[in-house]
Structures are given as C-alpha cells and as structure tokens.
Amino acid sequence: GNVRELKNLVERLVILTPQAEVSEREARALLPIAAGSADSVSYEPGKTLRDMTDDAERALIRQALAHHSGNVTNTADALGLERSHLYKKMRALGLR
C-alpha cells in the first residue's frame, strides 16, 4: 500500500508541476493531509455527505490556489475547470 501511494504521489507531482524540479512546498501540498490539520477532511458523524464533500473540495481548492500562488486561471487549468466554473465553485464554498 505504501509503495502504491508513493508511486501515485510521484505521478501527481510530475503531472501537476510545470517546472523540471519539484520543490518541497509542491510536494507537501500533495502529501496526504496530517490528522488534526486545519484542512483535514474526515468522516464526521451527523454531517451529511454533501457537507463533507464541500469540506474536501474547499480544502483541495485552497491547496491548488496556494500551489499556483493564488492565480485562479492557472489553478482552474490545473484542475481541469473553466475559470468561470472555478469562480462559481469558490463563491459557493465561501472562498475568495
């Protein structure tokens, strides 16, 4: 399992990193979120699937924006979204 996870992480880094070298910041952005982290997403009894999905999506968009230094156009491209669709998602999720 760990080797498979490492392989997947390296593949994501290669795909999502535009430069030839991967920085520590970029690698950390794709590492599984540590338990107790502010962006941590996990099952919460009493919460709906929609709410948990929104939490996960919010955390991923925040990470992607940080990775692209807040550039929404580059973030949308990296996530495979139209820029206008990312703006709508951000507004719906309470992100600026």
Side-chain angles (χ1 to χ4, degrees):
N2 290 340
V3 172
R4 185 182 72 247
E5 288 176 30
L6 179 60
K7 180 180 178 241
N8 289 338
L9 173 66
V10 172
E11 287 175 357
R12 284 194 312 262
L13 283 168
V14 169
I15 292 167
L16 295 176
T17 304
Q19 1 1 315
E21 290 186 23
V22 176
S23 72
E24 178 183 351
R25 179 177 167 221
E26 292 162 334
R28 286 186 183 276
L30 290 178
L31 285 172
I33 300 168
S37 166
D39 286 335
S40 176
V41 178
S42 60
Y43 174 70
E44 296 179 43
K47 250 187 163 178
T48 66
L49 177 61
R50 179 76 251 160
D51 289 341
M52 289 183 283
T53 302
D54 286 349
D55 290 345
E57 201 167 27
R58 192 175 293 110
L60 289 169
I61 290 172
R62 276 189 188 127
Q63 289 175 8
L65 283 166
H67 176 80
H68 293 283
S69 303
N71 185 304
V72 176
T73 300
N74 291 343
T75 301
D77 288 343
L79 295 175
L81 299 171
E82 294 291 327
R83 190 182 74 219
S84 61
H85 187 75
L86 180 56
Y87 273 119
K88 287 177 188 175
K89 277 193 167 298
M90 290 170 60
R91 191 173 27 251
L93 294 169
L95 297 172
R96 295 191 178 162

